[in-house]
Each structure stands twice: as C-alpha cells, then as structure tokens.
Amino acid sequence: MQETSAYQTIRFEVADGVAHIQLFRPERLNALSKTMLMEIDAAMNIAEAQPEVRAIVLSGAGKGFSSGFDLKDQMARNPKGSQVWREILDLDFHTTMRFWRSPKPTIAAVHGPCVAGAFEMALACDITIAAEDATFGEPELRFGAGIVTMLLPWITSPKHAKRIILSGQDKVGAALAMQMGLVSEVVPVGQQLETAMKVARNIAKMDPELVQQTKKAIQRTYDIQGLESALATALDIDHSIESHGSPDKVTFMDIARDKGLQAALAWRAQRFEAE
C-alpha cells in the first residue's frame, strides 16, 4: 500500500491497482473548498501518472459524501468581478471533469448527502455505488446560484433533469436515483466503499490498455453528441450568473455573513413549500 499524507483535506492511497481518494473534511460534511479541489486535482495527477493504478475510487469520510461547494469558504473570500469568478468556476469545473475525462475508470462510493457540486462530481465518475441512505440533488437555484457542471441532462432524461435542477431538489433518495439512472447500484448502508473497491479491483485485473481504450470508445459517443461544447456553454452561462450576482444569492450571502450560514439556510428553506 502506498499512502500520501501531504494533504489537508483529502486522504489518498494506492493498493491492489486502485487509487482511493477520500474527501476528508468530516466536520464540514466534506464541503468542497478551493484547497480540497486543488488537492483532488493533484491526487488525480498522481493516480493517472502511475502505471500500477488501473482504477480510481472517490469516497467521503464521516456522515456523507459531500455537501457540495463550500459556502463558508465563499463567504470568507467574498469573490467579486468577472475574472475572479472565472477562476473559481474554472477550478470547480476542471476538477469535476477530471473524473469524466480520466483515461482510467473512476468509481464514486456515495453515502449520505451528495448534492450540488459533489453530485456533479459523482455524476462525472464512470460508476456510482450508492448506499441506501444516499441523497442527491441540485439545490443551487434556491439560493440564486447556477450549475457549474451541467452533466445531469446527459445522465438522465430531460424531464428528470429539469425537475431536479429547476425546482432545486436536493433529497432524491438512492432508490429513485437508481430509477433515474443516476447511480449504478444501491447497496446497504456501510457497504458502498467495500463494493466500489471490489469493482475497482476487478477492473484492475483486466488489461489496462483494453479498459482504457474501451472507456475512450464509450466517451466518444458523448463527444459526437456535443457534450463538451454543451458543458462549456453551460459554464459560460453560470459565469454570467455568478459574476453579476442574482438578488437571491446576494440576500442569501448577506444573511450568512450577518447571522451565520444556518440562518441563511433557514431563510432559503422557509421560502419554499415542502414537496
């Protein structure tokens, strides 16, 4: 087993031909900060460069996979202006798409909350193993933000994608996610990582060139349909949204800075009827 400990927000190890990246901010439900995104990117560089790594598993420590992009981090940084937002969104997008674009198979092991940017990261993985307690969704529009990596319409039907995104759903259960095609398999709580690692180890036993070329052939199907172009356009739209700042987002962040993030989340929740 090879372990790399030079990280603040993730854990990274390699064993049996599998690289395991674990999101490791359990006290913050593994919120995706700038530091975490950069460390994920660095770990992916190592995993892709090592010939002995033949599959990559992504999981989360603690009570859930991840709550998505770190709003407290954004509050502290208070980004403003087109250039600043371009850098933020490009990092988010690039890191998420590492799992889609990687020549090596990527597998997400999900439990608990997996929403917003974290949901997009799980969607970017080739295979997603979900525990029965996993919940998915895209709540961004409910507090005036946009979607950074618009993969959802490519993974499920337009009706499901629009229902989740336009209504800001963030509690899509594992069973429904399976019906929608958002996950590959649902397993009992606590077995998601074990199952993902087993799948990864079996992939690692195959001819790596064969596996990588076959993944390339599958991805080519999406390339022909224009996935990369569509994602780039969606990213540009989100950049326009974030750099201009919607009134809802301004109010949400003002409340968060004045009264705390929990108060802002409560403000968001009280605006909408229970579904």
Side-chain angles (χ1 to χ4, degrees):
M1 176 183 293
Q2 174 187 343
E3 185 169 352
T4 304
S5 57
Y7 298 103
Q8 300 175 35
T9 64
I10 67 171
R11 296 291 182 268
F12 177 73
E13 64 180 25
V14 175
D16 300 323
V18 178
H20 179 201
I21 300 172
Q22 183 184 53
L23 310 179
F24 201 82
R25 299 181 73 202
E27 76 286 354
R28 293 294 318 281
L29 199 52
N30 302 317
L32 301 168
S33 65
K34 178 179 180 181
T35 298
M36 181 181 277
L37 292 170
M38 294 176 70
E39 290 187 346
I40 293 169
D41 194 45
M44 287 295 289
N45 286 340
I46 294 172
E48 290 180 351
Q50 293 183 351
E52 63 269 29
V53 172
R54 298 185 175 188
I56 301 166
V57 170
L58 177 69
S59 71
K63 296 181 179 180
F65 184 77
S66 172
S67 58
F69 295 125
D70 191 341
L71 293 176
K72 283 189 176 180
D73 185 47
Q74 191 177 130
M75 285 165 50
R77 293 159 64 192
N78 194 20
K80 293 181 180 179
S82 178
Q83 182 58 37
V84 172
W85 272 109
R86 174 58 70 183
E87 292 172 1
I88 292 171
L89 297 179
D90 282 353
L91 175 61
D92 293 348
F93 180 84
H94 168 78
T95 306
T96 297
M97 288 300 288
R98 288 298 301 265
F99 295 92
W100 181 273
R101 294 168 174 162
S102 177
K104 301 181 180 183
T106 54
I107 304 168
V110 178
H111 72 296
C114 175
V115 296
F119 180 37
E120 294 157 24
M121 200 169 285
L123 289 174
C125 289
D126 300 309
I127 298 168
T128 299
I129 309 298
E132 291 173 340
D133 69 344
T135 55
F136 303 89
E138 297 272 22
E140 288 93 332
L141 266 66
R142 290 198 174 206
F143 60 94
I147 309 298
V148 180
T149 311
M150 192 68 79
L151 276 171
L152 186 57
W154 293 87
I155 306 299
T156 189
S157 74
K159 295 291 186 182
H160 288 320
K162 290 177 181 180
R163 174 72 168 97
I164 291 171
I165 292 172
L166 296 180
S167 64
Q169 283 188 312
D170 63 357
K171 290 182 174 59
V172 177
L176 181 55
M178 182 74 180
Q179 293 177 25
M180 291 179 176
L182 305 178
V183 303
S184 311
E185 183 178 352
V186 177
V187 300
V189 176
Q191 294 186 20
Q192 69 282 348
L193 181 56
E194 175 187 349
T195 302
M197 294 299 289
K198 185 184 298 183
V199 172
R201 287 194 298 269
N202 280 333
I203 290 174
K205 293 171 184 175
M206 300 177 192
D207 176 354
E209 182 66 16
L210 172 64
V211 172
Q212 291 185 31
Q213 288 300 316
T214 302
K215 175 175 176 175
K216 182 178 180 180
I218 296 171
Q219 302 301 76
R220 181 62 180 146
T221 303
Y222 295 93
D223 294 341
I224 291 171
Q225 295 178 68
L227 177 141
E228 292 282 356
S229 176
L231 293 182
T233 298
L235 180 63
D236 286 341
I237 290 171
D238 189 38
H239 175 254
S240 177
I241 291 170
E242 297 291 358
S243 59
H244 286 88
S246 79
D248 288 348
K249 180 71 173 290
V250 171
T251 301
F252 180 90
M253 298 306 287
D254 284 346
I255 294 171
R257 292 188 188 95
D258 184 42
K259 299 180 180 179
L261 183 56
Q262 290 305 313
L265 293 172
W267 169 82
R268 184 188 73 180
Q270 62 86 25
R271 300 177 67 214
F272 300 97
E273 298 178 35
E275 297 182 53

